[in-house]
Amino acid sequence: GENVEQHPSTLSVQEGDSAVIKCTYSDSASNYFPWYKQELGKGPQLIIDIRSNVGEKKDQRIAVTLNKTAKHFSLHITETQPEDSAVYFCAAFRYSGAGSYQLTFGKGTKLSVIP
Amino acid sequence: DVKVTQSSRYLVKRTGEKVFLECVQDMDHENMFWYRQDPGLGLRLIYFSYDVKMKEKGDIPEGYSVSREKKERFSLILESASTNQTSMYLCASNPPGGAREQFFGPGTRLTVL
């Protein structure tokens, strides 16, 4: 099955700096890569996603890049703010045949933005 | 807005008890999921369902079962709770198609003593 590695597990940045979280995946059949943000006491919430036919996608201060050849994708947060502090999960999606599919999550990155 | 609700935020049970975790979604989604979240292990899929009365095993189904009698409700059952099932349990749903956003509930923190 798919294996998703996520790094780093914890990340501290000063407010206003950029943060980068990296993920690698193992199965070249994976074609959809969402990023979820989980705030304390809440369930994860989608913040951005990218499909395999796109190399980069941006939404205000958040961007995601995908390198299909190297099988890695990254989340970039610019001008970080204290409310960006949360746990971030990457995931990789692939169809696994017979109408079934698989979404595999990374182990998460705890981002702390220091005011 | 999609809303996924879970019956309890916190639950404390004793070893050997039968435990029911309930999840309800209000957006008429076909797909529903149960995950377990543990520190350092991320989210792991326990079971999922594509339709009423349909269920599929995820990555860690051992010790769990599920029930989906109505489209909006997906229940996770621990037949005989054990201490290693102490965890955060997250329910999610999404429309058919697979490669689409999953909407998560707030989670149930289960402690088995």
Side-chain angles (χ1 to χ4, degrees), chain A residues 1-111:
Chain A
E2 175 67 278
N3 181 47
V4 177
E5 298 282 343
Q6 182 172 347
H7 299 281
S9 56
T10 59
L11 179 60
S12 291
V13 299
Q14 290 292 136
E15 183 178 356
D17 287 351
S18 296
V20 180
I21 302 170
K22 299 182 178 182
C23 289
T24 61
Y25 60 99
S26 60
D27 193 333
S28 57
S30 290
N31 59 6
Y32 170 67
F33 305 92
W35 286 88
Y36 286 82
K37 175 184 180 183
Q38 186 177 28
E39 297 176 341
L40 200 61
K42 297 183 179 180
Q45 186 171 11
L46 182 75
I47 54 171
I48 196 167
D49 55 14
I50 191 167
R51 299 185 187 271
S52 58
N53 58 347
V54 175
E56 184 173 359
K57 184 177 179 181
K58 191 173 181 180
D59 183 4
Q60 297 181 33
R61 296 186 297 107
I62 294 173
V64 58
T65 58
L66 171 65
N67 183 327
K68 285 191 297 182
T69 304
K71 297 198 194 74
H72 67 70
F73 55 113
S74 301
L75 178 71
H76 304 254
I77 306 174
T78 58
E79 301 172 17
T80 53
Q81 301 167 4
E83 52 265 37
D84 294 329
S85 295
V87 178
Y88 292 81
F89 293 97
C90 63
F93 170 93
R94 66 183 178 94
Y95 287 99
S96 52
S100 186
Y101 62 83
Q102 182 181 32
L103 181 67
T104 304
F105 285 87
K107 291 180 169 47
T109 296
K110 183 176 181 180
L111 173 64

Side-chain angles (χ1 to χ4, degrees), chain A residues 101, chain B residues 31-35 45 47-48 74 90-92 94 102:
Chain A
Y101 62 83
Chain B
N31 302 330
M32 296 189 74
F33 310 84
W34 274 107
Y35 292 91
L45 183 64
Y47 267 96
F48 60 99
F74 192 34
L90 291 163
C91 175
N94 73 353
Q102 289 190 12

Side-chain angles (χ1 to χ4, degrees), chain B residues 9-49:
Chain B
R9 293 301 303 269
Y10 300 94
L11 208 54
V12 180
K13 296 292 181 180
R14 298 215 173 264
T15 301
E17 281 193 79
K18 189 169 186 176
V19 182
F20 292 87
L21 302 182
E22 306 285 341
C23 174
V24 177
Q25 50 93 6
D26 65 359
M27 283 302 292
D28 202 36
H29 285 166
E30 280 76 4
N31 302 330
M32 296 189 74
F33 310 84
W34 274 107
Y35 292 91
R36 171 175 172 160
Q37 181 177 14
D38 299 289
L41 297 179
L43 279 68
R44 294 180 292 166
L45 183 64
I46 305 172
Y47 267 96
F48 60 99
S49 169

